[in-house]
Amino acid sequence: MGKTLILGASGGIGSALVAACKARDEDVTALSRSTDGFDITDEASVARHMDGLDGPFDRVIVATGALEIGGAAPEKTIKGIKAGAMMDQFALNTLGPALVIARAHALLPRRSRGVLAVLSARVGSIGDNRMGGWISYRAAKAAVNQVVHTAAIELARTHKQSICVALHPGTVATPFTVDYLARHPAVSPDEAAQNLLSVMDGLTPEQTGGFYDWAGKEVPW
């Protein structure tokens, strides 16, 4: 029975991941803002909740994030940029995961396989961007991809069997994405969780620092 830590455990994907891991008889530690007061954007909150955890964990999943924060919808063009809305995106989608990853050395096993996965998004890919728009969200996700890649390089020096990756879960139907699905095919949170766990199960240490989609395919930076 493995040990799994899930951050953002009350969200659509996060709660589905909790259920899926428990169905595997894994020992799951779940933290969320609504249930535990875990605020991933606040350094003191991250330290208070995480420093006392009973690790190490075989798998750490950062499932926090949001496309729309405080009622600010994604910008249609660069002309729609608002400083506050953009900073909110970076606080939740970049800074928060970075604060968690900063503690990865203490969270993951040193001599056995461990996975640290951060949920990113394909729209954070610079190479795959052909549509424009959604500037703040795109930029925050591109930034967290860089955080993950850089942290993976550092982590590999002391945790040879650890894998630190960014994962794109696909388009997932949740209450937070319902206004943006349009004609895009979407999967349920339960299906997304199973897909993500399958990808994590198949990753090797040689793939650390990468960016992969729900099917395990590499996503361009």
Side-chain angles (χ1 to χ4, degrees):
M1 181 175 67
K3 291 184 65 174
T4 296
L5 171 63
I6 300 175
L7 308 169
S10 64
I13 300 177
S15 59
L17 283 165
V18 170
C21 289
K22 287 184 175 179
R24 292 180 168 201
D25 290 327
E26 295 181 12
D27 180 1
V28 179
T29 299
L31 291 176
S32 70
R33 183 169 185 168
S34 61
T35 303
D36 310 287
F38 174 73
D39 183 356
I40 199 170
T41 68
D42 181 78
E43 188 172 5
S45 178
V46 172
R48 183 170 65 254
H49 284 87
M50 299 191 67
D51 288 351
L53 291 175
D54 183 21
F57 297 91
D58 302 293
R59 182 164 44 221
V60 178
I61 307 173
V62 183
T64 54
L67 174 60
E68 182 177 307
I69 302 173
E75 309 93 350
K76 293 182 179 180
T77 76
I78 192 72
K79 298 175 183 178
I81 287 289
K82 300 294 183 183
M86 190 170 203
M87 293 305 295
D88 286 344
Q89 282 292 332
F90 273 83
L92 180 59
N93 290 313
T94 308
L95 173 62
L99 291 174
V100 171
I101 295 172
R103 288 167 165 76
H105 289 78
L107 294 173
L108 296 170
R110 291 181 67 91
R111 295 177 177 83
S112 60
R113 183 181 185 274
V115 177
L116 171 54
V118 176
L119 298 196
S120 184
R122 187 179 293 275
V123 295
S125 166
I126 296 172
D128 193 55
N129 183 1
R130 298 175 179 83
M131 296 292 292
W134 291 22
I135 296 90
S136 296
Y137 184 72
R138 285 184 186 274
K141 289 299 188 180
V144 82
N145 289 346
Q146 178 70 285
V147 170
V148 168
H149 184 72
T150 303
I153 294 170
E154 299 180 8
L155 187 64
R157 295 169 186 158
T158 55
H159 294 62
K160 305 295 185 183
Q161 298 185 57
S162 285
I163 304 158
C164 180
V165 292
L167 297 180
H168 167 57
T171 303
V172 184
T174 72
F176 300 103
T177 63
V178 65
D179 292 335
Y180 304 98
L181 294 178
R183 294 187 297 273
H184 298 289
V187 299
S188 69
D190 291 341
E191 185 176 349
Q194 294 295 341
N195 291 338
L196 290 167
L197 291 176
S198 179
V199 172
M200 285 181 245
D201 288 343
L203 291 171
T204 67
E206 289 72 29
Q207 293 174 286
T208 192
F211 182 17
Y212 303 95
D213 72 6
W214 57 271
K217 297 179 180 178
E218 198 161 7
V219 181
W221 294 115

